Amino acid sequence: MPEMHFKIRWPDSSESLCYSPSLVIKDYFQLGRSYALDDFVGRSREALNIASERVRHKYGYACSGALDQLAQIEADAMRFWEEQTPTVTVIEFIE
């Protein structure tokens, strides 16, 4: 499976390098686009669950890397829920 990384910028301008075991991320995010925090987390949840299921279909087990990445995104997003209109920007796809 073609895995990839994607780099994001959080509302405080910090950056994170995220992992996906599938290119499905590109179906959910556009390079350079900013997403409302709740939309970003929801898209991440859907895309990374699909990626994990693709691994399960091919290898017979879920991808712990995708599920760990989703947990990290959700934990990091918690820092910004109280902000007014927080956004996350997708700044790079790395294949």
Side-chain angles (χ1 to χ4, degrees):
M1 289 196 101
E3 64 182 12
M4 68 173 295
H5 289 84
F6 56 106
K7 190 180 288 188
I8 60 172
R9 183 174 302 120
W10 292 103
D12 66 354
S13 296
S14 64
E15 295 179 0
S16 294
L17 183 62
C18 303
Y19 168 77
S20 172
S22 167
L23 300 179
V24 70
I25 293 297
K26 289 183 161 187
D27 295 339
Y28 285 81
F29 296 112
Q30 285 184 313
L31 190 60
R33 183 171 170 195
S34 294
Y35 297 86
L37 183 64
D38 60 339
D39 185 34
F40 175 77
V41 171
R43 287 170 181 262
S44 296
R45 186 176 296 119
E46 190 168 343
L48 290 168
N49 279 318
I50 288 169
S52 179
E53 286 304 308
R54 287 182 178 178
V55 170
R56 181 188 311 276
H57 180 73
K58 186 169 184 172
Y59 299 106
Y61 52 86
C63 179
S64 61
L67 301 177
D68 289 348
Q69 182 61 70
L70 175 57
Q72 186 62 57
I73 286 171
E74 291 173 336
D76 289 345
M78 293 299 290
R79 299 180 296 166
F80 306 107
W81 284 122
E82 299 300 319
E83 288 189 17
Q84 198 168 17
T85 63
T87 61
V88 179
T89 305
V90 177
I91 56 176
E92 187 175 6
F93 292 134
I94 305 163
E95 293 182 49

